[in-house]
Amino acid sequence: MENMYTSKIAEMNYLNTGNTLRYRPILRYFYEQHGYRTQLKVEDILQHLKQFDDFDSYTIDELKKDLDVLESWKNITTRQEANDYYTIEEFKSKRFKYQATHYTIQIERFLETLETSKADFGGGSLDKTLFDRIMEALKQLHAIEVSIEPEEVYRRWEDLMEYFRRLDRKTSDYLAHISSFQAEDEMLSEAFLVRRQDLLNYLRDFVLVLQKKIPQLQHMIEEKFHEEWIGEIIEMVATYQLTIFRFGEKVSPEAVKKRLRDEWTSMFMWFCGEESDAKSVMTQTGEIIRKMLRFASRLMESKQYLRSRKQEFWDLARHFYELGNDEKAHELASLVIGVSHTKHFACDENDNSGRIESFWDIDQEPIELGSRKPGFRSKGKISGIANNRAQQNEMLEEYMRQQEEIKQNFLMLIQNNKIELEKLPVLTRPQRQKILELVNRCLHASEHIGRTEWGHTFKWAPGDGSVKVQCLDGELVMPNGSLLLQNLSKGASAV
């Protein structure tokens, strides 16, 4: 099989040669006239070039030589005029007409995009409205009937793919832009402190829309567009594309269908793949937000370190002076300075790494610093292996008891085979965590069905508005709805 990516592209030679200053204006004129006059005479080209100072001494013979070079690189094609000739000199002059090739037009169009739209092409954007447009385009494509004209199916297909291409291109360009070294350097500047909230709001709003729209699009693509239906749509789109008249080699129906299938697969994997680009965008955006906040915090700390605190100490001294009471002064000093007499207690650490609920529950571990002297080696200590089997069994029994307690407290929330969020009692921390985990699993599943670790399967039924759930450690505002018990997996206990 021939590898097409190893061959040279002769059509791009004109961009980097010693005569590029002449070749580029010539081909840009062909591009500007494309669609109006596809075939140009050498006199027309020379008249256009003469308006530039660099071409004051440029002759028609030099232009013809340049056109011959561009023809050898397949940038243009030539054809002799078929007009009537009245003299032998006119026939010998071989008057030609020149036309730019398709490759050249595409190259110049790409260069124009780079020149005139650097902000959009280089930086991209996070366009939140594209998710709604893609959803509407999917609905329009799904609503087609068998009797509909292939031209209308083609139009709806192109609308959908154009929105998706814009989303993919703009999002990837913007994330690459704000992850670049230049962006990191700007984040470390003081000027960024003023604008950091604007960037944070921009990223946060996009993430919120992404979290809301992606599950809807996944459900639409997976449930509404089954394999047989997609095959029929591709068949109709390919049928219309093959009716479009084009010169040159005729494209086979199999090649057209393969290209359309690849377009659909690309969009499917972007939204619904196991390692989908939507998840990647979510991860990258979160990392950028954390990096931005870390840079801003570091910059503020450096400014705080260099700033004089003389005025703060004067204000603090004034507070002490105005108190006029030793007892109140002692109280203020205890808050500002701390307790004057302290005691330090040391005890063995209690290892709880095997039964933590969250990352923040892990205790801090001290780090022992050794000597930094070259060649230093710590002395090894010979010690026996302690038998902690009884302690391990005790910790395991305690862990199993806690898990059983969490399970029973969760099952208490199920009333009439459902959990209604608006009727929940005051929740403990484990109950709240299990409810949030179950709701999150349901919302991210294609059919809004999630399962607990104990084998209970629930389906999320959304309600109206939002609900305030009372917890022992605060108040939680979340979407209103119910978790409907579906069935029990093998080994699960009945409610």
Side-chain angles (χ1 to χ4, degrees), residues 211-249:
Q211 291 176 335
K212 180 180 179 181
K213 297 297 182 180
I214 289 301
Q216 300 176 7
L217 289 168
Q218 289 175 342
H219 176 76
M220 183 72 178
I221 294 173
E222 293 179 342
E223 300 298 327
K224 303 296 183 181
F225 292 89
H226 50 81
E227 190 65 26
E228 183 179 354
W229 182 230
I230 283 296
E232 295 179 4
I233 294 176
I234 291 177
E235 186 72 29
M236 288 187 283
V237 176
T239 301
Y240 176 76
Q241 287 191 344
L242 291 172
T243 61
I244 301 175
F245 181 82
R246 290 185 176 89
F247 288 103
E249 185 179 354

Side-chain angles (χ1 to χ4, degrees), residues 123-180:
S125 63
L126 301 179
D127 193 346
K128 299 178 292 185
T129 62
L130 287 175
F131 294 107
D132 293 327
R133 296 179 185 179
I134 292 175
M135 175 61 76
E136 184 62 28
L138 285 170
K139 293 180 180 178
Q140 292 291 332
L141 187 62
H142 181 262
I144 63 174
E145 300 176 355
V146 180
S147 59
I148 196 170
E149 293 293 330
E151 182 178 0
E152 178 63 20
V153 181
Y154 170 77
R155 184 189 65 80
R156 299 184 184 184
W157 176 276
E158 284 298 310
D159 289 344
L160 173 61
M161 291 305 162
E162 177 61 24
Y163 292 144
F164 169 68
R165 284 190 288 266
R166 287 168 57 185
L167 173 66
D168 184 30
R169 184 183 68 251
K170 288 188 173 184
T171 303
S172 59
D173 287 348
Y174 186 79
L175 292 178
H177 169 67
I178 61 178
S179 300
S180 62

Side-chain angles (χ1 to χ4, degrees), residues 421-422 424 466-471 475-478 480:
L421 299 186
E422 59 183 0
L424 287 175
S466 58
V467 62
K468 293 183 179 180
V469 179
Q470 301 296 330
C471 308
E475 188 178 73
L476 175 64
V477 179
M478 59 186 301
N480 190 17

Side-chain angles (χ1 to χ4, degrees), residues 49-139:
L49 296 176
K50 282 294 184 180
Q51 63 182 321
F52 302 107
D53 297 337
D54 296 336
F55 292 90
D56 286 340
S57 59
Y58 195 54
T59 64
I60 192 169
D61 293 332
E62 292 176 328
L63 175 57
K64 288 181 179 180
K65 291 180 180 179
D66 289 340
L67 292 174
D68 291 340
V69 173
L70 293 175
E71 183 183 9
S72 66
W73 288 337
K74 301 179 182 179
N75 292 113
I76 59 176
T77 57
T78 61
R79 177 168 297 182
Q80 190 172 2
E81 290 189 44
N83 298 337
D84 295 332
Y85 298 101
Y86 298 99
T87 64
I88 296 177
E89 287 74 13
E90 290 181 354
F91 178 78
K92 288 182 177 179
S93 63
K94 293 184 179 180
R95 299 172 60 86
F96 288 99
K97 285 185 176 181
Y98 300 87
Q99 182 178 0
T101 61
H102 175 70
Y103 260 48
T104 303
I105 296 300
Q106 293 299 324
I107 293 171
E108 286 296 321
R109 181 176 289 125
F110 171 71
L111 294 175
E112 184 185 43
T113 303
L114 287 177
E115 296 164 0
T116 60
S117 305
K118 288 183 179 179
D120 178 66
F121 181 84
S125 63
L126 301 179
D127 193 346
K128 299 178 292 185
T129 62
L130 287 175
F131 294 107
D132 293 327
R133 296 179 185 179
I134 292 175
M135 175 61 76
E136 184 62 28
L138 285 170
K139 293 180 180 178

Side-chain angles (χ1 to χ4, degrees), residues 177-220:
H177 169 67
I178 61 178
S179 300
S180 62
F181 294 129
Q182 180 183 1
E184 290 186 1
D185 293 339
E186 292 188 13
M187 288 182 185
L188 292 172
S189 64
E190 294 186 11
F192 176 70
L193 291 177
V194 182
R195 303 176 54 195
R196 75 179 190 279
Q197 192 60 40
D198 296 336
L199 177 59
L200 183 61
N201 293 338
Y202 185 67
L203 296 175
R204 182 187 60 191
D205 294 343
F206 179 77
V207 169
L208 292 177
V209 173
L210 192 66
Q211 291 176 335
K212 180 180 179 181
K213 297 297 182 180
I214 289 301
Q216 300 176 7
L217 289 168
Q218 289 175 342
H219 176 76
M220 183 72 178

Side-chain angles (χ1 to χ4, degrees), residues 476-494:
L476 175 64
V477 179
M478 59 186 301
N480 190 17
S482 301
L483 293 166
L484 308 179
L485 182 63
Q486 300 297 298
N487 51 49
L488 300 178
S489 300
K490 184 177 180 181
S493 57

